[in-house]
C-alpha cells in the first residue's frame, strides 16, 4: 500500500471537510488568504503549528461526522424545506417592511444562518467519506513537509478554508451611524480599517487602500471636509 493517500482521495476528503466545516467542535484554526496560512485573527504561523492545528481539527470533524453516520442521524429534508421557507420570508420582509440598513443586515444574517442549517440537513456523510477524512488528518500530522504543504494547498481551494477578506466598501457598510456632532478624522478611520482587515491592507497597499476606503466613506457619509483643523467625516461610529 502507498504511504499516503493519493491526491484525488485527499481532495475529495477535504471537500467533505469544507462542506461540513461549521459542524466541527472547534472553529477552523487556520485560514488561507490566497498566499499564506494565518490564524482567524490574521497572525501568520509556521508549518509545524499549522500542521498540528489543522490535523487535529480535521480529526475532530471526522469524529463528529462518524457519530452522524453510525448513530443513524439521518438528513431531514422536510425540516430543511421549512427552514428555506423561513429564509424566503425573511428576505421578502426586508423589502416589504422597508427596514433600515442595520435591521436589514441583521435579517440577512439570520437568513444566512438558517440557509446554512438547511444545507446541513440535506447532506448525508458516508462511512467512506469519514474514513478518508480521518486518513487525511493522519497524513497532515505525519507527512513530510512537502506533502503536508501540498495537502494544505488542496484545502485552500475551498471557500470554507479561505480567510474572510472584505473590500473597503463592504467594511464601510457595517459602520454605525452617530449624531452629526460627532466627527472622525481620516487617520482614525484608516487605523480602524487596518486593524479589522490586515490581509486586505497588505493586498492593496496603503496608497490604493486609502483611495478605495476614503471613496467608500465619501459615498456613505458625504465628501470629507476640514473639521476643526483636520480632514474627516461627520455622523459615523467606528464601533458599528
Amino acid at each position: 500500500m502507498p504511504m499516503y493517500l493519493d491526491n484525488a482521495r485527499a481532495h475529495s476528503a477535504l471537500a467533505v471537510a469544507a462542506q461540513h466545516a461549521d459542524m466541527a467542535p472547534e472553529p477552523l484554526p487556520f485560514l488561507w488568504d490566497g498566499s499564506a496560512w494565518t490564524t482567524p485573527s490574521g497572525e501568520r504561523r509556521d508549518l509545524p503549528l499549522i500542521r498540528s492545528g489543522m490535523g487535529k481539527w480535521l480529526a475532530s470533524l471526522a469524529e463528529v461526522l462518524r457519530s452522524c453516520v453510525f448513530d443513524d442521524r439521518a438528513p431531514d429534508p422536510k425540516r430543511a424545506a421549512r427552514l428555506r421557507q423561513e429564509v424566503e420570508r425573511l428576505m421578502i420582509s426586508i423589502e416589504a417592511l422597508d427596514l433600515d440598513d442595520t435591521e436589514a443586515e441583521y435579517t440577512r444574517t439570520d437568513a444566512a444562518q438558517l440557509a446554512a442549517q438547511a444545507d446541513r440537513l440535506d447532506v448525508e456523510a458516508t462511512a467512506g467519506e469519514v474514513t478518508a477524512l480521518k486518513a487525511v488528518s493522519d497524513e497532515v500530522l505525519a507527512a513530510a513537509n512537502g506533502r503536508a504543504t501540498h495537502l494544505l494547498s488542496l484545502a485552500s481551494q475551498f471557500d470554507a478554508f479561505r480567510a474572510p477578506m472584505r473590500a473597503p466598501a463592504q467594511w464601510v457598510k457595517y459602520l454605525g451611524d452617530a449624531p452629526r456632532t460627532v466627527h472622525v478624522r481620516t487617520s482614525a478611520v484608516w487605523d480602524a480599517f487596518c486593524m479589522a482587515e490586515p490581509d486586505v491592507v497588505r493586498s492593496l497597499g496603503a496608497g490604493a487602500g486609502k483611495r478605495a476606503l476614503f471613496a467608500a466613506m465619501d459615498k456613505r457619509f458625504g465628501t470629507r471636509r476640514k473639521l476643526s483643523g483636520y480632514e474627516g467625516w461627520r455622523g459615523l461610529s467606528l464601533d458599528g
Side-chain angles (χ1 to χ4, degrees):
M1 291 182 64
M3 182 176 178
Y4 301 130
L5 276 76
D6 61 68
N7 290 343
R9 286 188 65 206
H11 192 277
S12 177
L14 288 165
V16 172
Q19 192 173 30
H20 296 283
D22 54 354
M23 294 182 66
E26 300 294 333
L28 191 67
F30 295 97
L31 300 160
W32 181 260
D33 70 2
S35 60
W37 287 87
T38 68
T39 67
S41 63
E43 299 171 288
R44 299 183 186 277
R45 296 298 179 91
D46 57 12
L47 179 62
L49 187 59
I50 295 170
R51 174 207 297 273
S52 174
M54 188 64 79
K56 291 176 181 176
W57 183 85
L58 290 170
S60 68
L61 177 57
E63 183 60 25
V64 170
L65 294 179
R66 186 203 66 77
S67 68
C68 291
V69 171
F70 295 106
D71 292 352
D72 196 28
R73 298 181 192 173
D76 190 345
K78 288 185 178 179
R79 184 157 184 265
R82 290 197 296 272
L83 288 173
R84 289 201 171 91
Q85 287 177 345
E86 178 64 13
V87 169
E88 186 175 354
R89 186 192 68 77
L90 287 172
M91 297 308 293
I92 290 173
S93 73
I94 294 175
E95 297 295 333
L97 300 177
D98 194 24
L99 301 180
D100 64 31
D101 289 346
T102 301
E103 292 173 322
E105 194 56 43
Y106 282 136
T107 302
R108 289 191 188 94
T109 300
D110 290 342
Q113 291 173 345
L114 290 177
Q117 193 176 344
D119 290 342
R120 289 198 300 275
L121 290 170
D122 273 343
V123 175
E124 182 178 10
T126 67
E129 289 171 340
V130 173
T131 300
L133 184 55
K134 181 62 169 64
V136 169
S137 73
D138 291 342
E139 188 179 347
V140 169
L141 291 169
N145 284 350
R147 176 59 176 160
T149 301
H150 187 225
L151 287 169
L152 292 168
S153 180
L154 288 176
S156 75
Q157 297 175 32
F158 301 99
D159 286 342
F161 294 95
R162 291 189 177 275
M165 294 180 66
R166 287 187 291 175
Q170 292 176 295
W171 182 82
V172 169
K173 184 173 66 174
Y174 290 98
L175 293 179
D177 292 313
R180 290 285 296 172
T181 53
V182 175
H183 43 90
V184 179
R185 63 180 68 204
T186 53
S187 59
V189 173
W190 174 246
D191 289 344
F193 180 68
C194 288
M195 288 183 64
E197 303 293 341
D199 290 319
V200 178
V201 174
R202 279 193 290 267
S203 175
L204 292 175
K210 286 182 178 180
R211 286 194 296 273
L213 175 63
F214 294 168
M217 290 291 296
D218 287 344
K219 185 173 182 180
R220 178 172 174 190
F221 296 102
T223 304
R224 57 194 181 277
R225 63 186 67 183
K226 291 290 184 181
L227 299 167
S228 302
Y230 62 84
E231 199 172 60
W233 296 271
R234 290 188 182 276
L236 73 129
S237 169
L238 294 176
D239 297 326

